[in-house]
mmCIF file of all heavy atoms in Angstrom:
data_model
loop_
_atom_site.group_PDB
_atom_site.id
_atom_site.type_symbol
_atom_site.label_atom_id
_atom_site.label_comp_id
_atom_site.label_asym_id
_atom_site.label_seq_id
_atom_site.Cartn_x
_atom_site.Cartn_y
_atom_site.Cartn_z
ATOM 1 N N GLU X 1428 0.895 -19.317 34.409
ATOM 2 C CA GLU X 1428 0.496 -20.724 34.416
ATOM 3 C C GLU X 1428 1.389 -21.554 33.509
ATOM 4 O O GLU X 1428 1.803 -22.668 33.869
ATOM 5 C CB GLU X 1428 -0.962 -20.852 33.960
ATOM 6 C CG GLU X 1428 -1.988 -20.361 34.974
ATOM 7 C CD GLU X 1428 -3.390 -20.351 34.399
ATOM 8 O OE1 GLU X 1428 -3.530 -20.227 33.157
ATOM 9 O OE2 GLU X 1428 -4.337 -20.459 35.178
ATOM 10 N N GLU X 1444 7.423 -22.695 23.762
ATOM 11 C CA GLU X 1444 7.789 -21.752 22.703
ATOM 12 C C GLU X 1444 6.684 -21.638 21.660
ATOM 13 O O GLU X 1444 6.416 -20.549 21.142
ATOM 14 C CB GLU X 1444 9.104 -22.190 22.046
ATOM 15 C CG GLU X 1444 10.320 -21.999 22.959
ATOM 16 C CD GLU X 1444 11.606 -22.500 22.341
ATOM 17 O OE1 GLU X 1444 11.526 -23.250 21.327
ATOM 18 O OE2 GLU X 1444 12.693 -22.154 22.863
ATOM 19 N N GLU X 1472 -16.119 -5.845 -0.931
ATOM 20 C CA GLU X 1472 -16.920 -4.967 -1.793
ATOM 21 C C GLU X 1472 -16.435 -5.029 -3.242
ATOM 22 O O GLU X 1472 -17.230 -5.016 -4.185
ATOM 23 C CB GLU X 1472 -16.853 -3.525 -1.275
ATOM 24 C CG GLU X 1472 -17.577 -3.315 0.048
ATOM 25 C CD GLU X 1472 -17.355 -1.919 0.619
ATOM 26 O OE1 GLU X 1472 -16.729 -1.091 -0.072
ATOM 27 O OE2 GLU X 1472 -17.795 -1.666 1.754
ATOM 28 N N GLU X 1490 -6.490 0.759 -6.670
ATOM 29 C CA GLU X 1490 -6.950 1.856 -5.827
ATOM 30 C C GLU X 1490 -7.070 1.423 -4.368
ATOM 31 O O GLU X 1490 -6.699 2.160 -3.452
ATOM 32 C CB GLU X 1490 -8.298 2.374 -6.327
ATOM 33 C CG GLU X 1490 -8.222 3.121 -7.655
ATOM 34 C CD GLU X 1490 -9.581 3.645 -8.093
ATOM 35 O OE1 GLU X 1490 -10.503 3.661 -7.257
ATOM 36 O OE2 GLU X 1490 -9.711 4.033 -9.276
ATOM 37 N N VAL X 1512 -0.776 -14.337 -13.311
ATOM 38 C CA VAL X 1512 -1.339 -15.565 -12.723
ATOM 39 C C VAL X 1512 -2.716 -15.844 -13.313
ATOM 40 O O VAL X 1512 -3.035 -16.987 -13.675
ATOM 41 C CB VAL X 1512 -1.429 -15.438 -11.184
ATOM 42 C CG1 VAL X 1512 -2.236 -16.595 -10.598
ATOM 43 C CG2 VAL X 1512 -0.045 -15.412 -10.563
ATOM 44 N N ALA X 1513 -3.539 -14.814 -13.390
ATOM 45 C CA ALA X 1513 -4.896 -14.991 -13.934
ATOM 46 C C ALA X 1513 -4.858 -15.500 -15.382
ATOM 47 O O ALA X 1513 -5.658 -16.357 -15.770
ATOM 48 C CB ALA X 1513 -5.655 -13.674 -13.859
ATOM 49 N N THR X 1545 16.082 -10.350 12.092
ATOM 50 C CA THR X 1545 16.361 -10.421 13.517
ATOM 51 C C THR X 1545 17.379 -9.348 13.906
ATOM 52 O O THR X 1545 18.200 -8.924 13.089
ATOM 53 C CB THR X 1545 16.913 -11.807 13.907
ATOM 54 O OG1 THR X 1545 18.071 -12.092 13.107
ATOM 55 C CG2 THR X 1545 15.859 -12.881 13.670
ATOM 56 N N ASP X 1551 28.477 -12.407 22.928
ATOM 57 C CA ASP X 1551 29.452 -12.004 23.947
ATOM 58 C C ASP X 1551 29.802 -10.537 23.740
ATOM 59 O O ASP X 1551 29.923 -10.059 22.618
ATOM 60 C CB ASP X 1551 30.731 -12.853 23.844
ATOM 61 C CG ASP X 1551 30.459 -14.328 24.098
ATOM 62 O OD1 ASP X 1551 29.873 -14.639 25.144
ATOM 63 O OD2 ASP X 1551 30.815 -15.147 23.229
ATOM 64 N N VAL X 1559 17.291 6.275 15.578
ATOM 65 C CA VAL X 1559 17.096 7.574 14.926
ATOM 66 C C VAL X 1559 15.618 7.756 14.583
ATOM 67 O O VAL X 1559 14.847 6.805 14.541
ATOM 68 C CB VAL X 1559 17.960 7.701 13.646
ATOM 69 C CG1 VAL X 1559 19.430 7.554 13.974
ATOM 70 C CG2 VAL X 1559 17.545 6.654 12.600
ATOM 71 N N ASP X 1608 13.697 0.433 35.052
ATOM 72 C CA ASP X 1608 14.805 0.157 35.972
ATOM 73 C C ASP X 1608 16.120 -0.133 35.243
ATOM 74 O O ASP X 1608 16.757 -1.175 35.433
ATOM 75 C CB ASP X 1608 14.451 -1.014 36.896
ATOM 76 C CG ASP X 1608 15.435 -1.137 38.069
ATOM 77 O OD1 ASP X 1608 16.058 -0.123 38.429
ATOM 78 O OD2 ASP X 1608 15.581 -2.259 38.604
ATOM 79 N N GLN X 1614 24.100 14.064 29.734
ATOM 80 C CA GLN X 1614 24.741 15.318 30.093
ATOM 81 C C GLN X 1614 23.659 16.400 30.037
ATOM 82 O O GLN X 1614 22.480 16.096 29.856
ATOM 83 C CB GLN X 1614 25.897 15.631 29.146
ATOM 84 C CG GLN X 1614 27.081 14.677 29.282
ATOM 85 C CD GLN X 1614 28.280 15.107 28.459
ATOM 86 O OE1 GLN X 1614 28.350 16.238 27.973
ATOM 87 N NE2 GLN X 1614 29.259 14.222 28.307
ATOM 88 N N ILE X 1628 29.584 4.704 26.386
ATOM 89 C CA ILE X 1628 30.362 3.520 25.993
ATOM 90 C C ILE X 1628 31.312 3.106 27.112
ATOM 91 O O ILE X 1628 31.421 1.919 27.462
ATOM 92 C CB ILE X 1628 31.159 3.802 24.698
ATOM 93 C CG1 ILE X 1628 30.214 3.826 23.488
ATOM 94 C CG2 ILE X 1628 32.242 2.769 24.486
ATOM 95 C CD1 ILE X 1628 29.667 2.482 23.076
ATOM 96 N N ARG X 1634 30.649 -1.441 33.454
ATOM 97 C CA ARG X 1634 29.579 -2.097 34.216
ATOM 98 C C ARG X 1634 29.151 -3.437 33.622
ATOM 99 O O ARG X 1634 28.206 -4.063 34.112
ATOM 100 C CB ARG X 1634 28.363 -1.162 34.307
ATOM 101 C CG ARG X 1634 28.672 0.162 34.990
ATOM 102 C CD ARG X 1634 27.459 1.084 35.012
ATOM 103 N NE ARG X 1634 27.844 2.466 35.283
ATOM 104 C CZ ARG X 1634 26.985 3.477 35.359
ATOM 105 N NH1 ARG X 1634 25.688 3.243 35.205
ATOM 106 N NH2 ARG X 1634 27.407 4.713 35.593
ATOM 107 N N ARG X 1646 16.951 15.850 13.714
ATOM 108 C CA ARG X 1646 16.817 17.142 13.020
ATOM 109 C C ARG X 1646 16.944 16.962 11.515
ATOM 110 O O ARG X 1646 17.908 17.400 10.897
ATOM 111 C CB ARG X 1646 17.868 18.113 13.555
ATOM 112 C CG ARG X 1646 17.742 18.379 15.048
ATOM 113 C CD ARG X 1646 18.829 19.293 15.541
ATOM 114 N NE ARG X 1646 20.150 18.691 15.370
ATOM 115 C CZ ARG X 1646 21.290 19.366 15.362
ATOM 116 N NH1 ARG X 1646 21.264 20.684 15.482
ATOM 117 N NH2 ARG X 1646 22.444 18.763 15.219
ATOM 118 N N LEU X 1752 -3.482 -9.285 9.421
ATOM 119 C CA LEU X 1752 -4.114 -8.507 8.359
ATOM 120 C C LEU X 1752 -5.258 -9.263 7.678
ATOM 121 O O LEU X 1752 -6.192 -8.652 7.154
ATOM 122 C CB LEU X 1752 -3.058 -8.129 7.313
ATOM 123 C CG LEU X 1752 -3.291 -6.889 6.452
ATOM 124 C CD1 LEU X 1752 -3.563 -5.658 7.311
ATOM 125 C CD2 LEU X 1752 -2.077 -6.639 5.561
ATOM 126 N N GLU X 1762 -13.903 -23.160 4.516
ATOM 127 C CA GLU X 1762 -15.300 -23.021 4.156
ATOM 128 C C GLU X 1762 -15.459 -22.484 2.732
ATOM 129 O O GLU X 1762 -16.346 -22.884 1.993
ATOM 130 C CB GLU X 1762 -16.023 -22.082 5.134
ATOM 131 C CG GLU X 1762 -16.246 -22.683 6.518
ATOM 132 C CD GLU X 1762 -15.039 -22.529 7.419
ATOM 133 O OE1 GLU X 1762 -13.952 -22.230 6.885
ATOM 134 O OE2 GLU X 1762 -15.176 -22.722 8.633
#
Side-chain angles (χ1 to χ4, degrees):
E1428 288 173 334
E1444 289 177 345
E1472 291 173 6
E1490 290 181 14
V1512 170
T1545 55
D1551 298 307
V1559 300
D1608 193 24
Q1614 292 187 14
I1628 286 288
R1634 300 178 197 180
R1646 300 178 297 161
L1752 205 54
E1762 288 84 344

